[in-house]
Amino acid sequence: MRVRPISPDRLVTELTERLLTVAAGPTVDGSTPPAHLRVAVDGPPAAAPDRLAEALIDPLRAGGRPALHLRAEDFLRPASVRFEFGRTNPDAYYEGWIDETGLRREVLDPAGPGGTGRVLPSLWDARTDRASRAAYQELPPGTVLLLSGALLLGGGLPFDVAVHLVLSPAALARRTDPAQRWTLPAFARYADEVAPQSFADVVLRVDDPRHPAWVQRADGAG
């Protein structure tokens, strides 16, 4: 596995170029590229996946692609489900905080092959613990849909491109808010059981956000 240091600005530029290339196609098997590109920007809160996804919006639009950023935290399950086994249960956090069924139904399937292109930008407001009542949005043709959040990969959610942000265990512990350190066992389990670093299309090491690195896997991917 090779690690290539890269500046934050250059990282955004190269990742934008990668997404624009994939969106334009052709696909690896020579088929027609998807009507929309569904991109996971996966990483723990300490890795700031929301910030990276947001940073890609303007460059993608400048490259001629409509772009929309959605956050997984706007598709959480109700508090009664999330906190059934306690508010700080790492296994519950790992296994069931995200409403994956709702995310597929309202976003990923409609943005996928044969989908309607009509997506719901948010489903649940965790602050009020009520439905967000957001209005549906019609995706312009060729939209790059960026979904950012934690624990997104390995559960069967349909993404066309997976970007994974990884930190060493020490960096993750150091950069995680003290009030959220109860989640660390969940991320250790994710790294062990899912191993997203082994299959994500793009892997970025972000131990120090000022000095990220692009990781190339042993099989040459990345």
Side-chain angles (χ1 to χ4, degrees):
M1 186 174 293
R2 293 187 299 170
V3 177
R4 175 169 58 92
I6 189 171
S7 71
D9 288 345
R10 185 62 192 168
L11 185 154
V12 170
T13 298
E14 290 194 18
L15 188 50
T16 298
E17 291 171 352
R18 172 75 68 91
L19 296 178
L20 290 173
T21 298
V22 176
T27 59
V28 173
D29 61 5
S31 59
T32 303
H36 309 293
L37 192 69
R38 301 165 297 179
V39 180
V41 183
D42 172 67
D50 294 349
R51 186 186 309 159
L52 176 58
E54 193 61 33
L56 293 167
I57 294 294
D58 286 345
L60 286 167
R61 290 173 177 169
R65 287 283 171 177
L68 177 64
H69 172 211
L70 304 183
R71 303 180 306 166
E73 67 180 38
D74 291 325
F75 292 84
L76 296 179
R77 298 179 187 275
S80 60
V81 178
R82 299 200 313 276
F83 303 146
E84 181 180 2
F85 301 102
R87 290 178 174 268
T88 58
N89 186 306
D91 290 328
Y93 176 70
Y94 175 76
E95 295 171 355
W97 273 35
I98 297 175
D99 184 352
E100 293 187 350
T101 300
L103 197 48
R104 288 190 66 127
R105 181 185 68 246
E106 303 294 356
V107 177
L108 297 174
D109 286 347
T116 63
R118 185 171 178 263
V119 303
L120 192 66
S122 65
L123 184 61
W124 197 258
D125 186 335
R127 293 170 299 180
T128 62
D129 199 34
R130 295 180 179 178
S132 66
R133 300 185 182 275
Y136 283 91
Q137 294 186 23
E138 297 285 345
L139 298 179
T143 294
V144 177
L145 177 65
L146 300 155
L147 178 69
S148 62
L151 309 174
L152 295 179
L153 306 179
L157 291 176
F159 295 107
D160 303 301
V161 178
V163 178
H164 176 59
L165 308 180
V166 62
L167 297 91
S168 68
L172 178 59
R174 183 174 65 252
R175 292 179 50 196
T176 296
D177 186 304
Q180 297 301 314
R181 284 182 182 159
W182 62 269
T183 63
L184 293 177
F187 291 113
R189 183 177 169 188
Y190 185 57
D192 181 55
E193 296 182 3
V194 177
Q197 190 171 347
S198 69
F199 64 84
D201 301 289
V202 175
V203 177
L204 304 171
R205 182 167 290 279
V206 291
D207 286 2
D208 183 342
R210 300 165 299 177
H211 303 287
W214 198 293
V215 179
Q216 187 172 35
R217 301 201 306 268
D219 61 5

